């Protein structure tokens, strides 16, 4: 990652965005100082720019996988995120809520294996 950060144009979210904070923390941890030229709102925008050859970016697998021609390099150790879903106590046993939470869980589990 240090080599990529030194030689390639880095595309990232603006300062203060969770993805930027997480990425900056990871880069700092490995002693990488990227060449930063541009900031863009939205991870899908970053993925499209990577696909167009404008630079490199740290992206979730779920976003990068949507772009043909984008090659992902695995991070070691992998980055993980936690998702917490809240429901009203009066609707927590509602079949529609249970179904939606199950679908979200399944989608996140499938993405984490990719």
């Amino acid at each position: 990652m240090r080599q990529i950060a030194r030689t390639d144009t880095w595309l990232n979210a603006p300062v203060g965005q969770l993805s930027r904070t997480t990425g900056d923390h990871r880069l700092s941890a490995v002693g990488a100082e990227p060449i930063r030229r541009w900031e863009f709102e939205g991870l899908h925008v970053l993925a499209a720019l990577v696909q167009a050859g404008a630079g490199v970016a740290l992206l979730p697998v779920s976003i990068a996988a949507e772009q043909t021609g984008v090659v992902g390099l695995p991070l070691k150790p992998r980055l993980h995120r936690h998702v917490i879903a809240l429901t009203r106590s009066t609707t927590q046993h509602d079949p529609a809520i249970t179904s939606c939470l199950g679908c979200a869980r399944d989608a996140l589990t499938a993405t984490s294996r990719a």
Side-chain angles (χ1 to χ4, degrees):
M1 186 172 356
R2 274 179 275 184
Q3 182 62 31
I4 291 170
R6 282 194 295 258
T7 59
D8 294 324
T9 299
W10 205 260
L11 307 172
N12 46 253
V15 173
Q17 295 280 330
L18 181 58
S19 62
R20 171 70 179 265
T21 302
T22 302
D24 286 354
H25 180 37
R26 173 54 71 93
L27 290 166
S28 178
V30 298
E33 184 56 43
I35 301 167
R36 296 183 195 275
R37 292 205 178 118
W38 302 296
E39 295 179 346
F40 299 92
E41 291 283 343
L43 295 175
H44 288 94
V45 173
L46 290 174
L49 289 165
V50 169
Q51 180 186 33
V56 298
L58 281 176
L59 295 168
V61 171
S62 59
I63 303 293
E66 295 176 3
Q67 297 292 328
T68 58
V70 172
V71 177
L73 303 173
L75 294 177
K76 304 250 185 217
R78 292 181 63 170
L79 290 174
H80 296 279
R81 63 181 164 190
H82 300 276
V83 177
I84 299 170
L86 302 174
T87 66
R88 294 180 183 196
S89 59
T90 57
T91 60
Q92 69 184 20
H93 299 293
D94 181 302
I97 300 292
T98 302
S99 179
C100 287
L101 292 175
C103 288
R105 184 181 307 107
D106 292 347
L108 291 169
T109 300
T111 299
S112 70
R113 289 186 193 135

